[in-house]
Amino acid sequence: MRPFIKLKAMKNSKATNTIFNNNAKVDDAIVITPNRSNDDEHKFRSKGFWIAAVLTVVSVGVLIKLGVWQLDRGNEKLRYEQQLLERSQQSSRALDIVLSDWRGTGLRAQEPSSPQTLNGLKVDIELATPSGLILLLDNQINQGMVGYVIYMLGETQTQNGRKQLLIDLGFVAASNDRRKLPQLGNITLPTNMSGRLYVRSVNPLSQELGLENTTPKRIQNINIQALSQYTGQEVLPFIFQPQSLGSWPYEMLWRPSAMKSEKHFGYSFQWFVMAAVLLFLMLLIGYRYMKQK
């Protein structure tokens, strides 16, 4: 006998349609799913590209703004340095005359003049006494060496009576033991001296005098108001640095500004270069993206 295969009969047409429909759904899923996946991936990449483009534009704008700011600061410092150079070539004047002109400028402007405008002016002073209170300004650096800047409060006669004047006496190195302060001995100055005026930059993080009960007195910042309160006499709002002491044992540091114009111009160039590089990279990525699209 010939073998035969027994087929399972389909009971109705509804079952047949269900089977065919299920097969059709499976077939459709196999064919359509890759296209949908590619479309979703394309949309995701497109969205990511435009987000990156917006962030790049914002970043480039910020970098350019920083570059322009540093450029303006550099030009401002350059004008200031030229002013200091001009003042260094001028002849010195009596302190009283300089003070009178400075206060007169404030009266004409109807607002107090900033002591910063006196930076670099050459003056002649006369001290009432050749010695005074010695102060050591802490945490100063000179050629990689940590130490102090020595200051002395000297009394000088002005048109408005006797005032205290802070006199810069130069840099002295510190010892390895912080408890040991430099031994300066008895410092006496000529009663008549020539030099220049300056105002130290204000530390934005700390402005307190921080006076310690040591010998000599150690301080953390130059705070004219606090010094006036401590001495009980008005201290003039600037510092005098002598230039007529001859062979003085302590090096005079001349730092009228915290940063020179060259550094500002250098920082400005860096910001502009970073902006250009970032913009170039984004344009290159955008070109490749549009080419693939």
Side-chain angles (χ1 to χ4, degrees):
M1 286 181 69
R2 181 180 295 178
F4 63 94
I5 299 173
K6 186 177 180 180
L7 297 176
K8 185 177 180 180
M10 295 182 182
K11 295 182 179 181
N12 53 48
S13 60
K14 185 176 181 181
T16 304
N17 291 335
T18 302
I19 293 172
F20 285 144
N21 288 338
N22 289 338
N23 289 337
K25 288 179 181 178
V26 172
D27 292 341
D28 288 346
I30 293 173
V31 174
I32 294 174
T33 298
N35 293 333
R36 288 180 179 175
S37 177
N38 291 336
D39 187 55
D40 291 342
E41 182 181 356
H42 176 73
K43 289 181 179 179
F44 177 77
R45 292 178 62 185
S46 177
K47 185 178 180 181
F49 170 78
W50 289 113
I51 291 175
V54 171
L55 291 176
T56 301
V57 171
V58 173
S59 300
V60 169
V62 171
L63 291 173
I64 291 175
K65 190 173 182 179
L66 288 171
V68 171
W69 174 65
Q70 286 290 349
L71 186 62
D72 291 340
R73 291 284 292 160
N75 289 325
E76 181 183 342
K77 284 292 180 67
L78 184 60
R79 290 191 295 269
Y80 175 61
E81 291 167 358
Q82 291 173 347
Q83 183 187 56
L84 291 177
L85 180 61
E86 292 174 359
R87 289 181 172 181
S88 68
Q89 298 170 351
Q90 297 173 354
S91 57
S92 59
R93 298 184 297 164
L95 180 61
D96 263 346
I97 297 176
V98 173
L99 285 175
S100 178
D101 291 347
W102 175 60
R103 288 167 179 156
T105 302
L107 290 174
R108 287 191 295 272
Q110 296 183 349
E111 61 181 16
S113 296
S114 170
Q116 297 278 355
T117 59
L118 299 174
N119 275 354
L121 283 177
K122 298 172 71 174
V123 298
D124 298 322
I125 68 166
E126 182 178 354
L127 296 178
T129 57
S131 60
L133 177 65
I134 299 296
L135 303 168
L136 295 177
L137 181 60
D138 200 3
N139 297 319
Q140 302 303 299
I141 298 176
N142 181 31
Q143 298 179 0
M145 187 180 299
V146 180
Y148 305 92
V149 172
I150 310 167
Y151 291 99
M152 188 183 86
L153 275 174
E155 195 173 44
T156 183
Q157 184 68 37
T158 68
Q159 292 178 351
N160 297 325
R162 289 193 174 186
K163 307 290 183 183
Q164 293 286 333
L165 176 64
L166 200 58
I167 303 172
D168 182 348
L169 299 181
F171 176 85
V172 61
S175 65
N176 294 330
D177 189 350
R178 181 172 172 79
R179 295 171 297 179
K180 296 180 180 179
L181 295 179
Q183 299 300 315
L184 305 176
N186 186 24
I187 297 179
T188 58
L189 298 175
T191 54
N192 292 285
M193 292 184 292
S194 297
R196 54 192 172 189
L197 304 179
Y198 73 91
V199 177
R200 287 187 64 94
S201 301
V202 176
N203 184 353
L205 301 178
S206 174
Q207 301 179 22
E208 294 184 3
L209 181 63
L211 189 143
E212 300 177 23
N213 190 22
T214 56
T215 304
K217 302 292 185 185
R218 179 163 54 194
I219 59 176
Q220 300 303 315
N221 296 287
I222 297 295
N223 188 316
I224 299 297
Q225 185 177 0
L227 281 174
S228 299
Q229 293 175 355
Y230 177 75
T231 60
Q233 280 186 293
E234 181 183 352
V235 179
L236 294 172
F238 45 76
I239 300 169
F240 172 76
Q241 186 180 71
Q243 293 181 294
S244 58
L245 293 179
S247 57
W248 188 249
Y250 307 110
E251 182 182 355
M252 297 290 182
L253 306 181
W254 177 239
R255 297 169 181 170
S257 61
M259 189 182 297
K260 293 184 178 180
S261 59
E262 290 86 353
K263 282 193 175 182
H264 287 289
F265 290 135
Y267 288 142
S268 175
F269 178 75
Q270 289 179 6
W271 290 125
F272 286 139
V273 168
M274 290 173 65
V277 170
L278 185 59
L279 183 61
F280 172 77
L281 290 176
M282 192 58 206
L283 290 175
L284 182 62
I285 294 172
Y287 171 75
R288 291 182 177 179
Y289 172 78
M290 298 302 293
K291 192 175 181 181
Q292 291 177 358
K293 189 175 179 181

